[in-house]
Amino acid sequence: MTRESRRDSETGSGERPIEWTDPDTFARALERAETREKGNCFEDFAEGDLLEHDPGLTLTRWGNESWMSQTLNHDPAYWRSDAAAERGFDEPPIHPDYLTAATLGITVEDLSEKGGYFLGRTDVRFPGTPVYAGTELRVESEVVSRATSSSRPEFGIVTWRTRGKDAATGEVLCSYERTNMIPRREPVATDGSGAATAESDGGDDGDGDGDGDGDEPTLPEAFVTPAGGYFEDFVDALETAEGCDAAVAYRHERGRTQDDVTVASLPLATLNTAKQHHNVDVMADSPSGDIVTYGDVTRSTALGHARSDERTWREVGFDDEQFHTFVAPGDTVYAFTRVLSAENDASIDAAGTVRFEHIAFTQDDDPVYSGTRTAEIRKRTD
Ligand SMILES: CC(C)(COP(=O)(O)OP(=O)(O)OC[C@H]1O[C@@H](n2cnc3c(N)ncnc32)[C@H](O)[C@@H]1OP(=O)(O)O)[C@@H](O)C(=O)NCCC(=O)NCCSC(=O)C[C@](C)(O)C(=O)O
């Protein structure tokens, strides 16, 4: 455009200058202006596509400590150098929860910024840990499968394998598979069967494990609480429950009410651009009617509560994570834990491996997150 023609457009048809900021004029202009959209729709993903995400971030002490403090994760090895040294770390490392949240946050612009629901994640592993502050994170995702949602024809279901790598060495630090509902440009007709249908070979048709629904299940007669947080305490509790109608299951006392920091600041600090967490204007018209907590904040908070009642040595991995309903500002996140197994097969003699199921729930006792976690738990030294 030449300087001459630009002057013409600033004066409309050339009569008097347009006052673009006059509210009426501006409202008319907005009605006619096209929106430069962000994010991808369901149709933009094809099985096998590899997306190298442009954003990256440097994992800093500040980012790690903000995330861990606001989600009540106080494991001393991530805060104190003497405790870190005792655990075999060179210095307090980046916590796997923050690493996971930062890896996912970076992917949102390409994968889920359009909206939709974070349905679940599994096979969360940390092949390259420990990770130290100063590491630059580069992230890539591969489309694993696409499926039709029978219940919501305006959405499709996409599963990606995501890898967070050390930008300098290419080493994979964090890897997982995540499933989201992603808006379609065009809704599809479904058979109304309520079962997701794979749209390509190898598609994920939903987990279908739905424990607890259908027939009203009978809870175990007894709930056993471990006497302490050491490996032996979990072994003893499982032995007590064995052969009886009992579960090793207990709740944690702490709760964390969701506020501006947890709902908006923490996801933004991971470059998570999902409008669900920071755009009250758009979210007013959504099913939640408000911004909602980033799934990783809910999860880390519940895990923080659980870890406060155990002697964690090392996080191994997370599976079958699901986000059951929204957490909104003002909701309080609590945690419930079930101990699934305890095996004396950890990477060091000083610890044993424990598998947990953790359930995050709100002040109304509504489950909002569930998932299994494998962690090495310290043994008693006396
Ligand atoms: C999503 C809601 C509405 C579904 O509620 P519902 O009762 O309808 O659930 P459903 O019937 O069990 O599931 C709906 C469909 O999803 C499928 N499905 C379900 N789970 C899986 C899975 N793991 N893998 C594959 N498929 C799955 C399931 O098979 C079913 O298929 P259908 O439509 O054909 O019947 C409800 O559960 C809900 O509101 N959940 C809360 C979601 C949420 O709050 N997530 C965290 C916050 S948002 C967030 O963090 C965002 C993020 C990180 O920033 C970002 O993605 O960008």
Side-chain angles (χ1 to χ4, degrees), residues 37-79:
E37 290 197 27
K38 292 286 179 208
N40 288 309
C41 290
F42 175 75
E43 290 84 347
D44 299 321
F45 298 105
E47 191 179 318
D49 279 357
L50 182 71
L51 295 99
E52 290 179 3
H53 306 294
D54 257 351
L57 60 74
T58 303
L59 296 161
T60 61
R61 282 289 279 269
W62 174 84
N64 191 55
E65 291 180 355
S66 305
W67 187 275
M68 300 314 287
S69 60
Q70 294 299 331
T71 56
L72 284 90
N73 276 281
H74 301 163
D75 183 339
Y78 295 88
W79 294 90

Side-chain angles (χ1 to χ4, degrees), residues 112 149-152 178 180-181 194 196 272 277 295 323-324 326:
S112 49
S149 164
S150 308
S151 60
R152 291 173 178 76
R178 155 161 90 122
N180 267 54
M181 275 204 187
N272 180 335
H277 314 307
F323 297 91
H324 301 276
F326 297 114

Side-chain angles (χ1 to χ4, degrees), residues 78-348:
Y78 295 88
W79 294 90
R80 280 182 12 222
S81 48
D82 61 321
E86 198 228 330
R87 204 80 75 79
F89 300 135
D90 299 343
E91 58 183 81
I94 298 297
H95 194 283
D97 277 18
Y98 175 56
L99 176 62
T100 305
T103 300
L104 197 154
I106 285 169
T107 69
V108 168
E109 178 174 336
D110 289 331
L111 305 188
S112 49
E113 180 164 345
K114 267 277 176 273
Y117 305 96
F118 181 7
L119 294 173
R121 188 173 49 194
T122 198
D123 198 23
V124 186
R125 295 293 182 274
F126 312 99
T129 49
V131 177
Y132 294 109
T135 303
E136 206 174 297
L137 193 58
R138 289 298 299 270
V139 183
E140 64 181 32
S141 301
E142 197 177 327
V143 181
V144 174
S145 65
R146 302 165 8 118
T148 297
S149 164
S150 308
S151 60
R152 291 173 178 76
E154 67 279 20
F155 290 96
I157 296 172
V158 187
T159 298
W160 308 274
R161 162 65 60 180
T162 291
R163 287 177 281 268
K165 296 179 172 178
D166 181 331
T169 64
E171 184 184 14
V172 176
L173 308 176
C174 171
S175 164
Y176 60 77
E177 212 168 275
R178 155 161 90 122
T179 301
N180 267 54
M181 275 204 187
I182 299 295
R184 287 176 177 271
R185 283 206 189 80
E186 298 293 338
V188 288
T190 67
D191 62 7
S193 66
T197 315
E199 291 217 337
S200 53
D201 290 346
D204 184 342
D205 65 355
D207 62 8
D209 63 2
D211 60 334
D213 49 24
D215 295 342
E216 186 89 336
T218 311
L219 286 170
E221 202 171 303
F223 279 45
V224 178
T225 307
Y230 288 96
F231 175 67
E232 293 86 343
D233 297 311
F234 295 110
V235 172
D236 290 349
L238 285 166
E239 279 174 8
T240 304
E242 201 177 329
C244 315
D245 185 14
V248 181
Y250 46 99
R251 54 196 287 179
H252 306 276
E253 183 175 358
R254 287 180 180 160
R256 170 69 161 106
T257 303
Q258 299 303 293
D259 57 21
D260 285 349
V261 172
T262 54
V263 178
S265 300
L266 290 185
L268 285 170
T270 68
L271 312 189
N272 180 335
T273 50
K275 51 177 116 11
Q276 289 101 308
H277 314 307
H278 62 263
N279 190 332
V280 175
D281 177 40
V282 168
M283 292 304 288
D285 285 333
S286 73
S288 63
D290 200 348
I291 51 176
V292 299
T293 304
Y294 175 19
D296 264 325
V297 170
T298 304
R299 161 214 202 250
S300 276
T301 303
L303 297 181
H305 299 335
R307 291 176 183 127
S308 75
D309 290 324
E310 68 181 46
R311 304 296 300 245
T312 322
W313 178 267
R314 193 175 74 92
E315 297 295 333
V316 176
F318 302 84
D319 291 284
D320 304 317
E321 297 194 302
Q322 290 186 63
F323 297 91
H324 301 276
T325 191
F326 297 114
V327 176
D331 281 343
T332 302
V333 174
Y334 293 99
F336 173 97
T337 292
R338 209 155 64 84
V339 181
L340 305 177
S341 65
E343 302 290 339
N344 195 11
D345 63 356
S347 59
I348 51 146

